[in-house]
Amino acid sequence: MTRPAFMDEALNEARLAAERGEVPVGAVVVRDGSVLARAGNRTLEDRDPTAHAEMLAIRAAAAAIGDERLIDCDLYVTLEPCPMCAGAISFARIRRLYYGAPDPKGGAVDNGVRLFGQPTCHHRPDVYGGLSAEESAAMLKSFFAGRR
């Protein structure tokens, strides 16, 4: 699968997050080929543990369309979503999830709890992992190497 242009936009949001000292994760919500919302991690800046890129982008997209359900929307994110973000993706009824690097420790889509595969999951988006995985992972490794 070729890399969608929207993954480039998510990668840019991740770069901007890193420049602010945040863990470099970026997300973009798209509907009908147009970006509704974009965000990078802001947990430190906002002093909010829920300010993950996915959560911020989902909130902004819902506000933009005036609906908590993002039924015809796709989410592009540079890192496999955590349990909190996977739950929000399900509740928002995101149509498709495209993510970059897998997260064996904190991911909840193809790793960990595999939330979308649970019988209690309300909605399962179509999932496409591994888009720009190398670039996403390299950005994270570089960020954390600089912290050690």
Side-chain angles (χ1 to χ4, degrees), residues 40-90:
N41 274 1
R42 283 199 328 246
T43 58
L44 299 173
E45 184 179 335
D46 291 359
R47 300 190 192 297
D48 179 356
T50 70
H52 290 193
E54 302 96 306
M55 299 294 285
L56 297 170
I58 288 169
R59 287 178 190 145
I65 66 169
D67 195 339
E68 77 279 8
R69 300 236 169 134
L70 304 175
I71 293 169
D72 295 323
C73 297
D74 302 331
L75 176 66
Y76 295 80
V77 62
T78 58
L79 182 66
E80 178 182 355
C82 72
M84 172 183 68
C85 294
I89 290 164
S90 178

